[in-house]
Amino acid sequence: MSERLPAPRKAIEPTGSPGQFRAQTSDAEMLFRLTRAEQPRFDDIASVRVTVKIRALDGQIDAPAILVDWGDGLALATPMALKRLGEDAYVVVAHTNAGALSQIVLRPSSTPCVFELTAFQVEPAAEPAAGAPRLSAPRQLLRAALRRLSPGAARGVRVVLRTLRDPKNTMRLARQTMRNRRQDPWRDSYQHAFNVARHAFSSQFAAPALTPPPRADAAPKVLAFYLPQYHPFPENDQWWGKGFTEWTNVAKATPQFVGHYQPRLPGELGFYDLRVPDVLRAQATMAGNAGVDAFCFHYYWFGGKRLLERPLDAFVADAEIDLPFALCWANENWTRRWDGDESDVLMAQNHSPEDDLALLDDLARYMASPRYVRVGGKPLLIVYRPDILPDAAATLERWRVRARELGIGELFVLCTNAFGFSAYRDAGFDGLVEFPPHAISRNEITETVERLNLDFAGRIYDYDAVVEGRIETLERREDPRIYPGVMPSWDNEARKPGCGNIFHNATPQRFHDWATAALACTTRLAPPDERLVFVNAWNEWGEGAYLEPDRWFGHAPAQALRSAVANQAPATARQHPAVLASREAPRVHDAVVLFHIFYADLIDDLAERLAALRDRLDVIITFPDQWPGATVDALARAVPGAVLVPTPNRGRDVEPFLVALETARAKGHTIFCKAHTKKSPHRSDGAAWRDRLLNGLMSREKAQAALAAFAGNQRLGLSAPASSRMTFNEPGVMTHNTDGVAGLSRHLGFDYGPDTAFPAGTMFWGRVAAFGVLAGQTLSFEPELGRVDGTLAHALERAMGAIVEAAGYQVSWDL
């Protein structure tokens, strides 16, 4: 018998809650496939009973059915209606006189709905359905013979038998298979698009950051370039068509080669309109939490004519936004370059001495804002194209004189290295801003990709190799006035269809490495008040360069930057007096709570939960070692007598657990309760999930039951509530964790299979001895980039039950 839930196959989308799914179409399907271990139990079975427990959460369950593959493929299967057995329960008996049971497709409803699937049980039927033929003796002999063959040979025999039974249909399936094989490159691209459509996500997908990162003293300022072209305005209507915005380009992009990540679709901010105040406020909050200190708006001035000014003016005027800002004059002609026509000028620049003064007069109102970025006390201004100014030195001198006349004071004027410009000193600029991908042209891989568009005329570069080269350059740099610039990715296919420049294989991890090197470079070279790093960009969606969340990576680029900023902050909590004093706390009880608290705003919640347990359990608390002293003081006051162990912010709650477990072992504790704060900001029910997990684990009644269970059974190694039990074969559990669990299995010496169970959320009671294999382990946890799955911490979560059983202990789900 098998009781695994089937996996989404077609038009089925997990909602994020265990066992709950959304059927998007009337022919939505889920697939159940027998594992190799399960197959022998069904080999001599002519009839199987399928029992399904399913209920509608939104909509209704209409005409649920299954298709059964008896070894001939699903193409030959006939739908079988499920019969209602009781409330939310259905059953059907399927029979055959052909091959062995292979797989079953569940069609949950003939109408779209949201449903909860709590059971899918497949078992041999006690008796065949009335009138059904029993498995004949020749068929039994054939199955026995097939079991002795290799899988490949057995498939070959089945193909021959199927051809003899139905040659016409077999040839049709063969032709379809060949067509699919020839179309594999397209199918790969389609599959990615389909995965995005059904809300699947990359293994690098990250949740949003909820607080700004900790900062070092005199930490560099991070400025992200900001494009304000996400709203319609008359000139764009005239030039490009009614309603045109940057999203018009973004949404129409298509992949040009296998593995090309296009189109790039926005995440939770959606296809926003910058005329909406809430969008600007949300962007400012996200940016601050990502470690961005200011937006650097592209400023469009054409001889007194302004374009795209509305979002900037709204941002400056909004009292609810506290994020600083600066300006970069985009002093180019506005042309039809996106269409490949450089000569068709839509709006021209007319540089002149009079225009220089008029421009600064207009800029003065922004520089007067208390939120305007200053460097060494001077307002910051950036010029995008210094090479096209008739006399850059003269322009700068006019600006500096006028700024003094207007009472602004001295200016700090930078230019970018766009289009190869480097002579910033000769032109009178205070420094040069790197503006990648400008000045990056090596590591081209155009000829190595498998093209989908044979007429593709653009260029493709290897992002990973580019990052390696930029890190080397930053480490060798000696000029403090060249300000590092980084880009999370780059791909302007949306703007230049079929002829864009693409930096392929961009990952959040490599962007994190680049940002880390940039921050270190400016910290090493520049005075504290002149340390700057620039990001291209916050929202250049048409160029594939953005920190905003998208549907495939989520908040991963923003989290990568946040981690790079946070890593520069010192670990001051390690030497906090309360931490040092807590090391001497005596062991009072045999059992101990190992609690990791990441979110400081949950300190009071933690103290309340622990208060009812202090007469039975000691407490060891781990927390980020970059917490400020006031927060550590608050924790020490809230949970007096606890051992306080600051840890690096890596491995979520799992690496801190390993540290706390060693502390518990050293103090002589034998039983522990592992728990942690949990917000899961990528889930709408994150707080409710935390409460369910903690209430099922740390109430006084649950603690008494757990301690009694461990006292009564010396072989009990792990205990958790049944509601937290998940298995490897459940949808999504191993999607991004297969390699991680396999590596841990080899390293720690445990076995696992489809039915291996683990406590979801990594909260459970345990016996210290059952986790002995983890003692002294040096596991390499990744930098904390906010990923929601696929990390070493997630692999260890899934391995907890297997580790306990490999040590000879039992796992219980009766708490």
Side-chain angles (χ1 to χ4, degrees), residues 540-586:
E540 281 280 9
W541 286 86
E543 294 176 342
Y546 51 85
L547 293 176
E548 289 180 332
D550 73 9
R551 292 182 62 177
W552 187 242
F553 286 111
H555 292 258
Q559 285 277 17
L561 177 64
R562 184 187 192 278
S563 176
V565 170
N567 287 346
Q568 286 204 320
T572 54
R574 295 182 184 180
Q575 299 304 316
H576 191 281
V579 170
L580 300 178
S582 76
R583 295 175 182 172
E584 307 303 321

Side-chain angles (χ1 to χ4, degrees), residues 458-521:
R459 292 189 172 185
I460 306 168
Y461 301 92
D462 182 3
Y463 181 88
D464 183 72
V466 165
V467 169
E468 203 62 41
R470 299 314 298 167
I471 290 175
E472 293 175 4
T473 299
L474 290 166
E475 291 174 344
R476 294 195 307 267
R477 178 164 296 161
E478 297 180 358
D479 188 346
R481 291 301 180 92
I482 299 179
Y483 294 98
V486 298
M487 62 182 187
S489 56
W490 176 273
D491 178 356
N492 63 351
E493 168 63 28
R495 287 186 173 178
K496 304 182 72 174
C499 57
N501 284 346
I502 300 160
F503 286 75
H504 190 39
N505 297 321
T507 65
Q509 175 64 66
R510 293 306 277 152
F511 172 56
H512 169 270
D513 298 340
W514 191 356
T516 297
L519 291 163
C521 175

Side-chain angles (χ1 to χ4, degrees), residues 228-537:
Q229 194 172 193
Y230 297 90
H231 66 98
F233 58 95
E235 289 81 4
N236 260 353
D237 286 348
Q238 176 185 346
W239 297 332
W240 304 98
K242 187 73 173 177
F244 176 91
T245 73
E246 187 74 359
W247 297 124
T248 309
N249 287 327
V250 172
K252 67 180 176 60
T254 55
Q256 300 295 298
F257 55 90
V258 175
H260 186 195
Y261 175 27
Q262 284 289 1
R264 294 169 176 260
L265 302 178
E268 62 195 66
L269 290 176
F271 293 96
Y272 53 74
D273 186 326
L274 290 180
R275 296 172 298 183
V276 178
D278 286 347
V279 172
L280 292 166
R281 294 167 189 163
Q283 289 176 320
T285 299
M286 284 184 182
N289 290 345
V292 173
D293 295 283
F295 284 152
C296 188
F297 283 84
H298 290 300
Y299 180 83
Y300 298 91
W301 166 278
F302 300 87
K305 171 68 175 177
R306 291 281 307 280
L307 292 180
L308 303 178
E309 74 281 1
R310 184 169 177 174
L312 170 61
D313 291 345
F315 184 92
V316 175
D318 194 331
E320 293 188 27
I321 298 176
D322 59 4
L323 188 75
F325 70 100
L327 299 177
C328 174
W329 181 25
N331 62 317
E332 292 182 300
N333 292 333
W334 208 328
T335 72
R336 289 191 181 275
R337 181 172 44 187
W338 296 348
D339 285 349
D341 186 352
E342 295 279 358
S343 62
D344 188 356
V345 177
L346 302 175
M347 184 166 288
Q349 291 285 358
N350 294 303
H351 299 105
S352 68
E354 294 77 18
D355 190 55
D356 290 343
L357 297 177
L359 170 62
L360 195 76
D361 289 346
D362 192 67
L363 292 172
R365 56 195 169 113
Y366 297 108
M367 293 179 176
S369 169
R371 286 162 48 207
Y372 196 85
V373 173
R374 286 165 169 75
V375 180
K378 306 172 185 178
L380 170 66
L381 176 61
I382 301 174
V383 177
Y384 177 59
R385 290 289 302 273
D387 58 313
I388 62 176
L389 292 174
D391 186 342
T395 294
L396 264 63
E397 181 59 26
R398 281 189 282 271
W399 285 349
R400 295 186 194 280
V401 171
R402 179 55 65 95
R404 297 186 196 108
E405 293 173 352
L406 296 174
I408 297 173
E410 298 300 319
L411 299 176
F412 195 80
V413 188
L414 305 178
C415 62
T416 79
N417 68 344
F419 299 92
F421 186 83
S422 61
Y424 73 92
R425 292 184 187 275
D426 295 340
F429 288 97
D430 294 304
L432 183 76
V433 176
E434 291 182 325
F435 199 87
H438 288 279
I440 299 175
S441 59
R442 67 176 190 171
N443 308 113
E444 185 173 350
I445 57 172
T446 308
E447 299 307 317
T448 67
V449 301
E450 186 176 1
R451 299 190 185 196
L452 300 174
N453 177 11
L454 299 181
D455 295 323
F456 175 71
R459 292 189 172 185
I460 306 168
Y461 301 92
D462 182 3
Y463 181 88
D464 183 72
V466 165
V467 169
E468 203 62 41
R470 299 314 298 167
I471 290 175
E472 293 175 4
T473 299
L474 290 166
E475 291 174 344
R476 294 195 307 267
R477 178 164 296 161
E478 297 180 358
D479 188 346
R481 291 301 180 92
I482 299 179
Y483 294 98
V486 298
M487 62 182 187
S489 56
W490 176 273
D491 178 356
N492 63 351
E493 168 63 28
R495 287 186 173 178
K496 304 182 72 174
C499 57
N501 284 346
I502 300 160
F503 286 75
H504 190 39
N505 297 321
T507 65
Q509 175 64 66
R510 293 306 277 152
F511 172 56
H512 169 270
D513 298 340
W514 191 356
T516 297
L519 291 163
C521 175
T522 194
T523 300
R524 173 173 59 87
L525 294 176
D529 57 353
E530 296 183 9
R531 294 171 180 169
L532 304 173
V533 169
F534 292 84
V535 180
N536 187 26

Side-chain angles (χ1 to χ4, degrees), residues 762-781:
T762 332
M763 300 193 199
F764 54 88
W765 286 80
R767 188 181 300 276
V768 172
F771 294 83
V773 71
L774 297 177
Q777 290 289 346
T778 54
L779 300 173
S780 299
F781 289 86

